[in-house]
Amino acid sequence: MKKWISPALLVISFILSAIGHYANWDHTLQFVLSAVSVIFVAGFLGRATESVAHYAGQRLGGFLNATFGNAAELIIAFFLVKEGLFDMVKASLTGSIIGNLLLVLGLSIFAGGMKFKVQNFNVTLAGLNGSLMIVAVIALFVPAMFFNTHSITEKDTDVLSLVVAGLLIAAYLAWLVFSMITHKKYLADVTDDTAEELPNEHAPVWSRNRSILYLVLATVMVAFVSEWLVGTLETLTERFGFSELFVGAFLVAIIGNAAEHSAAIMLAMKNKIGAAVEIAVGSSLQIALFVAPVLIFASYFMGNTMSIVFTTIEIVAIAVSVFIAKSIIQDGSTNWYEGLLLLAVYLILGVSFYLV
């Protein structure tokens, strides 16, 4: 009976969201239904990706996880780009980065730390992740500095944005090769005798063909429900007086990352903190090094290039998140108090963004 609850909620939420959109229900109700549907569909997409990755093998499986891991955020952002809502796109990217580094990582470390006094993971991987996060901050800071000091024109900023985006994608692809192929054993997670095995951890629930079918179906469902969600955002911001910055950075980001939140927390509570950190930090790196650059190229081909220039508030929020996250994970061990510190910083930023 329990195994049918999640699929039933997935189907019901998706159907209600579709009816609300095409029947033109109240936009606030549409937003709530679409948000709930995105959460369930993103979870479905995550399970399908893991199952396909198992059959695809280590190398292709890693690529699939990297590609589909942030599919919900990418598709939501794509429709925002299509609508020309560049400020909300950048806010949602900012929210995804700080949400993963502070909220997801913070909750995971806190939950795991409440059950296990100290949890350890690969310190070398933590250091490399920290370095990559700093590269992402530099990539956002440099174009903003040159543009805001009027050192370059708006046209030159678009060129710089495309160049930086291309370099970030190249750096991300090189990281995939480095971490999953050439230095896979070097970056292997720390093993712990107290780590618990997750149900079906080594055996996929679905067959290969069904996994592929579900992956395609989940991606299509995410595309539809993301478009419905984006269509309600402008009305929501006007009705409740929210800024685009707050809606993009917190509401959209939390909804898009819901599946990752639960997965990371569950792993941490099984004393698999290395996997939890990889989900949280790895997802932030995917957003900064892959998703954001892809959106810049997508906007270019649509005829209206979105620059990589973020606002001062967004850059400061990302830099603060990277600074505290790097300082906490760099020693390769965590405890519940460090998780609490990350959550405190997230709440500080949340209140600040709300009051903007």
Side-chain angles (χ1 to χ4, degrees):
M1 181 68 181
K2 288 183 179 179
K3 71 177 183 178
W4 293 107
I5 294 177
S6 182
L9 291 174
L10 168 69
V11 174
I12 291 170
S13 62
F14 184 80
I15 291 174
L16 285 175
S17 181
I19 294 173
H21 174 76
Y22 292 110
N24 198 26
W25 287 356
D26 179 78
H27 274 218
T28 303
L29 180 58
Q30 284 188 49
F31 172 80
V32 172
L33 291 173
S34 298
V36 172
S37 184
V38 165
I39 292 172
F40 283 110
V41 173
F44 177 44
L45 178 63
R47 291 192 298 274
T49 303
E50 290 175 7
S51 188
V52 171
H54 174 86
Y55 291 107
Q58 180 67 38
R59 296 183 181 182
L60 184 56
F63 175 75
L64 287 171
N65 274 312
T67 304
F68 289 94
N70 284 307
E73 295 96 315
L74 177 60
I75 294 173
I76 290 173
F78 176 80
F79 284 111
L80 289 171
V81 167
K82 188 178 177 182
E83 294 292 326
L85 301 172
F86 292 161
D87 289 341
M88 194 173 288
V89 173
K90 293 174 184 177
S92 68
L93 294 173
T94 300
S96 291
I97 294 170
I98 66 177
N100 279 298
L101 289 180
L102 301 179
L103 181 61
V104 180
L105 186 60
L107 284 174
S108 300
I109 292 175
F110 181 78
M114 293 300 288
K115 190 173 180 181
F116 303 95
K117 192 171 183 180
V118 175
Q119 295 181 294
N120 300 302
F121 56 97
N122 190 305
V123 66
T124 304
L125 179 60
L128 285 169
N129 278 332
S131 299
L132 280 170
M133 288 190 290
I134 291 175
V135 169
V137 172
I138 293 172
L140 297 179
F141 174 76
V142 172
M145 181 189 70
F146 277 88
F147 179 74
N148 290 325
T149 56
H150 307 290
S151 299
I152 57 177
T153 64
E154 189 171 337
K155 184 178 179 181
D156 289 337
T157 303
D158 290 343
V159 174
L160 179 59
S161 297
L162 292 169
V163 171
V164 171
L167 290 172
L168 289 178
I169 291 175
Y172 177 70
L173 294 176
W175 168 246
L176 290 180
V177 173
F178 179 83
S179 61
M180 296 181 184
I181 301 175
T182 64
H183 288 68
K184 177 188 168 186
K185 292 183 179 179
Y186 178 62
L187 300 177
D189 195 15
V190 175
T191 57
D192 195 316
D193 294 335
T194 61
E196 302 172 24
E197 187 170 306
L198 299 176
N200 302 317
E201 184 175 5
H202 301 293
V205 179
W206 304 314
S207 66
R208 183 182 62 183
N209 291 339
R210 181 176 290 189
S211 299
I212 295 172
L213 175 63
Y214 284 171
L215 181 61
V216 174
L217 177 62
T219 304
V220 172
M221 291 175 72
V222 167
F224 273 106
V225 78
S226 298
E227 184 176 16
W228 301 337
L229 179 71
V230 168
T232 67
L233 291 179
E234 283 194 90
T235 303
L236 189 75
T237 55
E238 294 173 3
R239 182 173 296 180
F240 292 97
F242 295 145
S243 65
E244 287 191 356
L245 187 62
F246 176 75
V247 171
F250 285 84
L251 294 184
V252 174
I254 289 174
I255 292 166
N257 287 325
E260 290 161 350
H261 294 184
S262 58
I265 294 169
M266 183 178 70
L267 286 165
M269 293 183 71
K270 295 288 185 179
N271 205 22
K272 295 177 181 288
I273 191 64
V277 170
E278 190 60 26
I279 287 176
V281 177
S283 184
S284 292
L285 291 174
Q286 287 175 19
I287 293 291
L289 303 180
F290 183 73
V291 174
V294 165
L295 291 172
I296 289 172
F297 279 109
S299 65
Y300 170 75
F301 288 116
M302 289 179 188
N304 185 19
T305 305
M306 178 180 75
S307 74
I308 202 170
V309 176
F310 283 58
T311 66
T312 303
I313 294 174
E314 291 166 340
I315 294 175
V316 168
I318 294 173
V320 166
S321 303
V322 168
F323 174 75
I324 184 66
K326 186 179 187 301
S327 67
I328 282 176
I329 67 173
Q330 65 184 359
D331 61 352
S333 65
T334 60
N335 54 69
W336 69 264
Y337 186 67
E338 290 178 327
L340 194 65
L341 293 178
L342 290 172
L343 294 174
V345 175
Y346 185 74
L347 290 175
I348 291 171
L349 290 175
V351 173
S352 302
F353 273 56
Y354 177 77
L355 296 175
V356 170

